Amino acid sequence: MLTVYHAAPSRSSRILTLIDELGINDKITVKRVNIPRRDGTGARDPMNPHPEGKVPLLDHDGTLVSETGAIMLYLLELFPNTISPKIGDPKRGEFLTWMYWYGSVMEPVIVFAALGLDHPGLANTFRDHAAAVARIQTALKKGPWLLGDTYSAADLLVHSPYAWFAEMLPDDPQIKDWVVRCTARPANQRTKALDAA
């Protein structure tokens, strides 16, 4: 049995969008839980088995998978799909790079920038938001999506902070257009409507 722990809206919304993109809504149970929110509302939910009380969390027959990128890769490997390159596909390495780069570099530099944190140690380790933006710009020059002509789960993941935090969206027409196209996808719109309800 597959169960996703979700709080609406939050980082776990991306998992619901992925589930919809994969057409596996009937194969996964979604359990809504409470989480502490940035504005001081919410609280840790005793029904949520995540060790830090966060979301998303995937429970597959007692095996717990946390972290958005890990859950996405787990589901993409479990279910045949068209939004991730298969093993042996020349685009597979590039796809995996984007999936890991998001959590290891992009999200941290966006958080640092939003909080106004600037330190040589952070810049040496993670670079900065401008470097992350440049990397996305370079990819989008090759096609409308991060992997070129094909939308993938990497687009779903990497565009997401710009969809949530408009103040962090770079003033770049190519990136803005990409974010609009990602958020306009039917699965994304359905998740947004579910979260709003």
Side-chain angles (χ1 to χ4, degrees):
M1 181 176 177
L2 289 157
T3 303
V4 167
Y5 289 83
H6 170 60
S10 72
R11 286 175 171 86
S12 61
S13 298
R14 297 176 291 197
I15 302 302
L16 296 193
T17 301
L18 177 68
I19 290 167
D20 192 322
E21 288 277 6
L22 295 175
I24 56 170
N25 294 347
D26 60 331
K27 294 177 172 47
I28 297 183
T29 301
V30 176
K31 284 196 178 175
R32 297 187 184 274
V33 293
N34 197 8
I35 57 170
R37 301 286 182 167
R38 287 184 302 154
D39 64 2
T41 62
R44 186 169 181 155
D45 193 325
M47 299 304 293
N48 182 1
H50 190 293
E52 297 163 18
K54 296 179 180 180
V55 292
L57 179 74
L58 175 68
D59 181 342
H60 186 187
D61 294 330
T63 297
L64 300 182
V65 184
S66 64
E67 305 309 319
T68 302
I71 294 169
M72 291 178 82
L73 289 171
Y74 193 93
L75 292 174
L76 290 164
E77 290 174 358
L78 201 57
F79 296 99
N81 66 83
T82 59
I83 60 170
S84 67
K86 309 292 180 270
I87 294 172
D89 185 315
K91 294 278 187 184
R92 179 75 177 173
E94 186 180 358
F95 171 76
L96 291 174
T97 298
W98 284 113
M99 297 299 285
Y100 282 89
W101 177 79
Y102 174 82
S104 300
V105 176
M106 184 182 178
E107 190 164 304
V109 300
I110 286 177
V111 171
F112 300 155
L115 296 175
L117 297 176
D118 185 20
H119 187 279
L122 295 175
N124 288 337
T125 302
F126 298 99
R127 306 305 177 258
D128 60 16
H129 187 226
V133 168
R135 189 163 180 174
I136 295 168
Q137 287 170 323
T138 299
L140 293 176
K141 285 177 184 170
K142 299 175 193 170
W145 307 106
L146 294 176
L147 299 183
D149 293 332
T150 307
Y151 173 84
S152 74
D155 295 288
L156 191 167
L157 181 60
V158 176
H159 97 279
S160 62
Y162 295 137
W164 302 332
F165 304 116
E167 64 274 15
M168 297 306 297
L169 180 61
D171 188 18
D172 175 275
Q174 201 168 27
I175 292 179
K176 286 180 176 180
D177 181 60
W178 167 66
V179 171
V180 167
R181 282 182 284 108
C182 288
T183 58
R185 288 183 66 83
N188 199 314
Q189 290 297 309
R190 286 189 290 266
T191 298
K192 192 173 180 180
L194 281 171
D195 279 353

